[in-house]
């Protein structure tokens, strides 16, 4: 039946709850089948071994509703379950205009913060249609399906609440596009990796303090990125090129980086990196991690020594956004289906250009400007913002291990 055909049809909401065990769903519907009812809707949730099973069915003909009630209660009692049956008409009420998915990351997720999120959703006219847990570790991640308000209004309301509630919140529009192929592009220093590559080179050149001074000047706005890049690289002049291999070996991936990339690739996503650092490191990361795209600045090397200069196109703030667009075009992915991840002001143009910009353990100015922020030290938590559950990640890993063993 169509929605219009069922709107005035008498229906029964049959609710069963108690200790979960195999065969309950089959048993309930076997019981209902004796009355030739049609199933309008089903929902089942299991929490800590307790099941809540709801079936919305058409009311049986020939005045057998009372008999159905007695039979269902009798079956539930025999299974040591509780039953509730409510009469009504038609299906669930229509969802409001506007469909959004609100992903919340808590470390931990408290009752107080959950109450605050629910109140903010209500404040902008939203209704929570469903709540689903995506992960229980390394953070608690839950997803709210919300209707009745626009995604932008919801995002604006919850973005201001995120810090005060002590959680990370991402709001995206619901729909088929979320399941479509995507492109994910990350910054490298302090995002994909824990280090600042220029500082690793500086340590070998014995000029860490000078590099730090130039960086601080850039942070104060006294130098733009390109000026600071040239000033810092100049301090590396004369360094033996063999240090490149040493720096590569010193690079530390951010916790969860391998899991994030491995899972994205399994989903058919394309993954790239853009960096204000150096191709001498990003090219190695591209090969090691199986990335689809990588672009950075290139340290000039002559006669086995670093010259203190960079060659080629400078990857700065504007350059990162430009590269995101280029990668998206090459991947055949609309810009609206791209995800950008970064931590610094140098990433802001890229984060704003992407369909979803994620500030990862970022500076305050970046957190405020990005679509959403993640403030836990696990890069794979970005998966939850895309609707991927921890169970799905682990199941895929287990499947691959079993395949290797076979």
């Amino acid at each position: 039946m169509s929605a219009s055909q069922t709107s005035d049809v008498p229906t029964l909401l049959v609710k069963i709850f108690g200790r979960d065990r195999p065969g309950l769903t089959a048993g309930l519907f076997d019981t209902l089948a004796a009355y030739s009812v049609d199933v309008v809707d089903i929902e089942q949730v299991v929490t800590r071994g307790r099941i809540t099973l709801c079936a919305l069915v058409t009311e049986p003909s020939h005045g057998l509703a009372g008999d159905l009630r007695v039979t269902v209660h009798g079956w539930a009692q025999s299974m040591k379950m509780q039953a509730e049956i409510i009469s009504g008409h038609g299906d669930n009420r229509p969802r409001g205009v506007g469909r959004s998915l609100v992903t919340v990351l808590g470390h931990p997720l408290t009752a107080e913060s959950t109450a605050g999120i629910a109140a903010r959703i209500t404040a902008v006219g939203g209704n929570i249609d469903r709540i689903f847990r995506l992960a229980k570790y390394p953070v608690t991640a839950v997803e709210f399906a919300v209707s009745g308000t626009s995604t932008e209004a919801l995002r604006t309301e919850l973005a201001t609440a995120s810090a005060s509630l002590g959680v990370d919140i991402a709001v995206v529009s619901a729909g088929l596009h979320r399941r479509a192929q995507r492109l994910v592009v990350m910054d490298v220093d302090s995002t994909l990796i824990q280090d600042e590559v220029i500082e690793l080179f500086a340590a070998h050149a014995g000029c860490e303090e000078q590099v730090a001074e130039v960086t601080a000047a850039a942070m104060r706005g006294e130098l733009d990125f390109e000026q600071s890049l040239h000033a810092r690289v100049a301090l590396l002049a004369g360094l033996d090129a063999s240090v490149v291999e040493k720096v590569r070996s010193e690079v530390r991936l951010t916790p969860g980086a391998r899991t994030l990339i491995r899972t994205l690739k399994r989903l058919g996503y394309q993954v790239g990196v853009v960096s204000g650092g150096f191709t001498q490191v990003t090219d190695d990361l591209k090969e090691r991690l199986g990335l689809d795209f990588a672009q950075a600045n290139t340290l000039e090397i002559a006669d086995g020594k670093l010259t203190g200069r960079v060659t080629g196109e400078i990857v700065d703030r504007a350059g990162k956004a430009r590269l995101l667009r280029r990668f998206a075009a090459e991947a055949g992915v609309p810009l609206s289906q791209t995800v950008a991840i970064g931590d610094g002001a140098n990433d802001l143009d890229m984060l704003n250009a992407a369909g979803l910009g994620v500030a990862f353990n970022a500076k305050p100015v970046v957190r405020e400007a990005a679509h959403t922020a993640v403030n836990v030290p696990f890069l794979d938590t970005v998966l939850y913002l895309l609707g991927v559950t921890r169970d799905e990640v682990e199941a895929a890993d287990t499947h691959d291990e079993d395949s290797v063993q076979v």
Side-chain angles (χ1 to χ4, degrees):
M1 291 183 186
S2 67
S4 60
Q5 289 173 316
T6 61
S7 60
D8 293 324
V9 173
T11 53
L12 298 174
L13 175 59
V14 181
K15 179 179 179 182
I16 305 297
F17 46 98
R19 184 173 62 83
D20 187 28
R21 75 200 75 172
L24 287 176
T25 304
L28 173 62
F29 285 95
D30 278 342
T31 303
L32 295 172
Y35 295 89
S36 301
V37 297
D38 295 333
V39 178
V40 180
D41 196 4
I42 309 171
E43 189 158 346
Q44 178 176 305
V45 177
V46 178
T47 304
R48 211 177 68 178
R50 309 291 290 185
I51 186 173
T52 300
L53 170 59
C54 295
L56 185 63
V57 299
T58 55
E59 188 175 287
S61 57
H62 309 299
L64 293 176
D67 191 51
L68 180 149
R69 290 173 180 271
V70 172
T71 303
V72 169
H73 278 287
W75 171 82
Q77 188 174 17
S78 72
M79 301 298 293
K80 298 183 179 179
M81 305 288 288
Q82 296 181 63
E84 180 181 8
I85 303 174
I86 303 171
S87 298
H89 286 82
D91 199 346
N92 305 309
R93 65 179 177 82
R95 294 176 64 186
V97 176
R99 309 287 172 83
S100 303
L101 296 172
V102 178
T103 306
V104 179
L105 308 179
H107 192 54
L109 178 62
T110 66
E112 181 180 6
S113 60
T114 306
I117 293 163
R120 294 292 185 120
I121 292 172
T122 301
V124 290
N127 183 73
I128 300 171
D129 299 311
R130 184 171 297 177
I131 304 175
F132 177 73
R133 187 177 73 180
L134 297 168
K136 61 182 178 182
Y137 72 91
V139 299
T140 299
V142 295
E143 181 178 272
F144 295 73
V146 178
S147 62
T149 189
S150 72
T151 298
E152 286 305 316
L154 197 56
R155 180 180 290 158
T156 300
E157 180 71 18
L158 291 174
T160 59
S162 178
S164 63
L165 294 173
V167 293
D168 298 327
I169 304 175
V171 181
V172 297
S173 177
L176 289 176
H177 67 276
R178 201 185 194 200
R179 299 187 183 96
Q181 184 190 54
R182 287 189 174 187
L183 167 69
V184 178
V185 177
M186 290 175 275
D187 173 43
V188 175
D189 292 12
S190 299
T191 299
L192 178 63
I193 67 175
Q194 300 177 59
D195 311 282
E196 293 289 331
V197 170
I198 185 69
E199 293 178 3
L200 296 179
F201 277 102
H204 289 281
C207 59
E208 301 102 312
E209 289 187 8
Q210 296 97 309
V211 165
E213 288 174 4
V214 176
T215 300
M219 294 294 288
R220 292 192 299 268
E222 297 169 6
L223 296 172
D224 64 20
F225 176 81
E226 186 170 349
Q227 288 175 316
S228 70
L229 175 67
H230 288 306
R232 286 177 291 181
V233 170
L235 296 169
L236 306 179
L239 195 60
D240 195 275
S242 62
V243 79
V244 169
E245 286 301 324
K246 295 178 182 178
V247 168
R248 286 175 174 175
S249 68
E250 292 167 352
V251 165
R252 300 166 300 162
L253 292 174
T254 298
R258 287 188 184 277
T259 300
L260 172 66
I261 295 169
R262 181 174 65 243
T263 305
L264 290 173
K265 298 294 289 182
R266 285 172 178 163
L267 290 169
Y269 289 19
Q270 297 189 60
V271 185
V273 293
V274 291
S275 176
F278 310 111
T279 57
Q280 282 83 357
V281 171
T282 57
D283 287 350
D284 180 61
L285 289 170
K286 180 182 179 183
E287 182 178 352
R288 285 166 51 195
L289 299 173
L291 302 173
D292 300 285
F293 305 98
Q295 189 70 42
N297 302 299
T298 299
L299 291 169
E300 184 182 64
I301 298 175
D303 300 323
K305 303 285 186 181
L306 271 64
T307 65
R309 297 186 293 271
V310 292
T311 62
E313 179 185 1
I314 297 298
V315 179
D316 55 9
R317 176 170 169 166
K320 288 188 175 185
R322 186 169 57 250
L323 287 165
L324 172 70
R325 293 186 174 92
R326 182 194 302 175
F327 294 166
E330 292 177 13
V333 174
L335 201 60
S336 61
Q337 290 298 112
T338 61
V339 179
I341 311 169
D343 74 297
N346 204 35
D347 301 311
L348 274 174
D349 289 3
M350 175 178 72
L351 297 181
N352 290 327
L356 176 64
V358 181
F360 182 72
N361 291 314
K363 299 165 182 65
V365 65
V366 182
R367 290 200 303 269
E368 292 169 5
H371 297 135
T372 188
V374 172
N375 295 300
V376 294
F378 312 107
L379 194 56
D380 54 338
T381 55
V382 172
L383 290 169
Y384 309 144
L385 306 183
L386 306 179
V388 180
T389 70
R390 172 57 62 177
D391 287 345
E392 289 170 329
V393 173
E394 293 179 351
D397 286 342
T398 300
H399 178 268
D400 275 9
E401 289 173 2
D402 291 344
S403 298
V404 171
Q405 290 173 3
V406 170

